[in-house]
Amino acid sequence: MGRWICCLCSRVADPLMLLLVLALGCDPSSAATASPSVPHVKPSYSFGRTFLGLDKCNACIGTSICKKFFKEEIRFDTWLSSHLKLPPSSLLSYSGNYTDDAKSWRLVDITRLTSKYQHDRADKHICTSLLKTKTCSLERALRRTQRFQKWLRAKRLTPDLVQGLPSPLLRCPSQRLLDRIVRRYAEVPDAGSIYMDHLTDRDKLRLLYTLAVNSHPILLQIFPDVEGWPFPRYLGSCGRLVVSASTRPLRDFFGAAPEVAADLALQLLAVLGSMATNDLNYFFYFTHVDAGTFGVFSNGHLFIRDASTLGIIDKEEGSQLMDGQQEHKDIFSCLTVDCQSALVSCDSIREKHSLVMVCQDLLPKLLAGKFQPHVQGRIDAFLRRCARGLGELAELEHILKPLRSCDSRFAYRYPDCRYSDKY
């Protein structure tokens, strides 16, 4: 179009037409030198295997979602134009966007199982401990270990194969729990089998490595949100990065309005209740809680955002590993924690274990100074008793239920709350 107009400039006799052409930005002298328009080139983003941790595979989590990264169907929030670079690799988590159709996008969390500094230190520890060198092939080094050789020969994941691993998930393992891990491990094609025949040597190393570093992604896989478990949806892994549905940490709501704080506190109590009593007869307990342990979806629904400190006791089968056996340790016991760290005894976990920690560390920050004096006094008195192990869930629920409201801010239960006594 521009070239046609410019060619017209030399033929225009009408002064009014000439003014119109000049107003369109035509330079008559450019008619002879105009070049064809350059086709639009889609910008390409460069990851690098190091950022994703693919250079460390198969001492990594998995590769199930790598294609989405390279097809730009997962984008970091900083990817607004082609000249922007990837975020710093030193961060523990990133906010991103995920799509299945390139039209609609949803927020996701992209996280590392531990900091890059801890990963690098662990990698160096593997090389110096096993091969006496500063650098090495992590896969080759770990494949030589006695533990992994036992994993290669095993047909079934049994308690002796996970003894001494630092994850709270495996402190008190039952065969039923270990079978669930193998049957629902999402980084391999679903075989629905409790036997490890469908796992390649590579798959076994990735599963062992993940369990040794941080069991968070395993818990998301074996207790999925679609079955009603209070965890964000596991979307996949690439190298040493995990992708899951996005939540805002509970710390962002410590200054929330009273009715929002009451609603979140009630949800928190409900999660603790479901963790203690559920249809599968598993008792979940926390070894540590902080302001990032729980998160809130955009619809107001509260979930467990970080499952790395969750332990499980099988109330149906009990633990099949004696505390004395747990003292056996090797390189896999020391990838993220001090090898001298004492393991929690299964017998030391009480029913109110998690409630006491929540009453000590989270509920006071969420509920402090939010309500009328007579109500606030009852809440504060309960939290003091609860922190000493004397409170009951039902007591605080009774105080908080009248304090929450029913409106569109609580999309996860609105408008159902208008027609149900449950809310």
Side-chain angles (χ1 to χ4, degrees):
M1 179 68 179
R3 189 174 181 180
W4 178 83
I5 292 175
C6 288
C7 292
L8 183 65
C9 290
S10 59
R11 303 178 184 178
V12 174
D14 190 330
L16 292 177
M17 182 61 74
L18 179 60
L19 288 174
L20 175 62
V21 172
L22 292 176
L24 292 174
C26 174
D27 179 3
S29 64
S30 65
T33 60
S35 59
S37 60
V38 179
H40 174 70
V41 179
K42 183 180 179 182
S44 178
Y45 299 98
S46 175
F47 271 100
R49 293 166 59 83
T50 301
F51 181 86
L52 294 170
L54 280 172
D55 59 326
K56 306 296 185 181
C57 282
N58 291 306
C60 63
I61 312 165
T63 56
S64 62
I65 210 166
C66 287
K67 286 185 179 179
K68 280 197 168 289
F69 275 107
F70 290 112
K71 290 168 65 178
E72 297 174 30
E73 293 175 347
I74 297 177
R75 297 182 179 181
F76 293 88
D77 274 357
T78 55
W79 278 17
L80 301 179
S81 64
S82 59
H83 72 275
L84 291 177
K85 298 179 180 180
L86 288 170
S89 60
S90 58
L91 299 180
L92 191 59
S93 63
Y94 311 87
S95 179
N97 294 280
Y98 175 103
T99 185
D100 287 317
D101 55 15
K103 297 178 182 178
S104 58
W105 295 81
R106 51 188 164 130
L107 292 175
V108 293
D109 289 332
I110 305 169
T111 57
R112 302 183 187 276
L113 296 190
T114 186
S115 69
K116 190 174 186 304
Y117 167 76
Q118 288 176 303
H119 269 312
D120 292 343
R121 188 175 65 172
D123 294 344
K124 183 178 180 180
H125 181 55
I126 291 170
C127 293
T128 55
S129 298
L130 299 179
L131 298 182
K132 311 302 180 185
T133 60
K134 291 184 178 180
T135 59
C136 69
S137 165
L138 299 178
E139 180 175 0
R140 189 182 309 124
L142 293 176
R143 285 178 67 93
R144 293 181 180 182
T145 61
Q146 183 180 2
R147 186 190 293 268
F148 186 66
Q149 289 300 312
K150 289 177 65 177
W151 273 61
L152 288 179
R153 296 189 296 270
K155 294 292 185 182
R156 192 174 183 181
L157 186 59
T158 52
D160 63 295
L161 295 176
V162 299
Q163 63 174 317
L165 294 183
S167 168
L169 171 65
L170 303 171
R171 296 281 170 86
C172 317
S174 69
Q175 188 60 58
R176 186 168 70 113
L177 177 62
L178 297 178
D179 287 344
R180 189 176 183 87
I181 291 174
V182 173
R183 194 171 63 247
R184 296 193 166 208
Y185 181 43
E187 287 298 311
V188 298
D190 182 15
S193 173
I194 62 174
Y195 297 101
M196 295 198 290
D197 296 337
H198 63 293
L199 300 184
T200 64
D201 294 358
R202 174 202 65 195
D203 298 329
K204 289 182 178 180
L205 180 56
R206 290 178 180 178
L207 176 57
L208 172 56
Y209 180 84
T210 306
L211 290 171
V213 174
N214 187 327
S215 59
H216 170 77
I218 302 299
L219 275 156
L220 269 56
Q221 294 169 42
I222 66 177
F223 297 107
D225 67 309
V226 294
E227 295 179 3
W229 298 98
F231 300 108
R233 179 166 301 180
Y234 177 81
L235 298 172
S237 299
C238 184
R240 289 179 170 178
L241 292 180
V242 179
V243 183
S244 59
S246 177
T247 59
R248 289 177 59 191
L250 187 62
R251 69 170 65 90
D252 290 357
F253 297 86
F254 285 164
E259 59 273 20
V260 174
D263 182 82
L264 292 175
L266 280 166
Q267 288 192 70
L268 186 50
L269 296 179
V271 167
L272 295 182
S274 68
M275 295 288 92
T277 305
N278 51 74
D279 293 341
L280 293 185
N281 257 343
Y282 288 119
F283 175 73
F284 295 74
Y285 66 92
F286 287 99
T287 58
H288 170 78
V289 296
D290 58 36
T293 301
F294 297 90
V296 183
F297 284 123
S298 58
N299 65 356
H301 207 170
L302 181 137
F303 277 65
I304 296 173
R305 188 172 191 256
D306 179 4
S308 63
T309 63
L310 267 180
I312 299 180
I313 295 174
D314 191 334
K315 294 193 290 185
E316 190 171 300
E317 288 189 2
S319 172
Q320 298 181 18
L321 199 62
M322 299 300 292
D323 286 338
Q325 291 179 287
Q326 289 182 307
E327 296 306 315
H328 172 77
K329 296 180 180 180
D330 61 6
I331 190 69
F332 290 98
S333 309
C334 315
L335 294 183
T336 56
V337 297
D338 184 353
C339 281
Q340 306 305 316
S341 299
L343 299 177
V344 176
S345 168
C346 302
D347 296 332
S348 67
I349 307 301
R350 298 292 178 260
E351 185 176 346
K352 295 182 181 179
H353 183 87
S354 298
L355 178 61
V356 169
M357 287 193 291
V358 167
C359 286
Q360 289 175 340
D361 301 322
L362 295 184
L363 288 179
K365 298 174 183 176
L366 183 63
L367 300 175
K370 293 287 175 66
F371 308 100
Q372 295 296 324
H374 67 285
V375 175
Q376 190 70 55
R378 293 174 63 195
I379 292 174
D380 294 344
F382 170 85
L383 294 179
R384 286 192 294 269
R385 294 196 307 275
C386 176
R388 301 196 303 271
L390 303 176
E392 299 290 341
L393 285 172
E395 183 181 350
L396 184 56
E397 288 175 346
H398 180 72
I399 300 173
L400 292 175
K401 278 185 178 180
L403 303 176
R404 62 179 178 177
S405 63
C406 179
D407 59 62
S408 57
R409 287 177 298 171
F410 310 101
Y412 79 96
R413 58 180 174 88
Y414 181 84
D416 295 353
C417 53
R418 290 188 178 277
Y419 312 105
S420 173
D421 293 336
K422 176 183 176 182
Y423 299 108

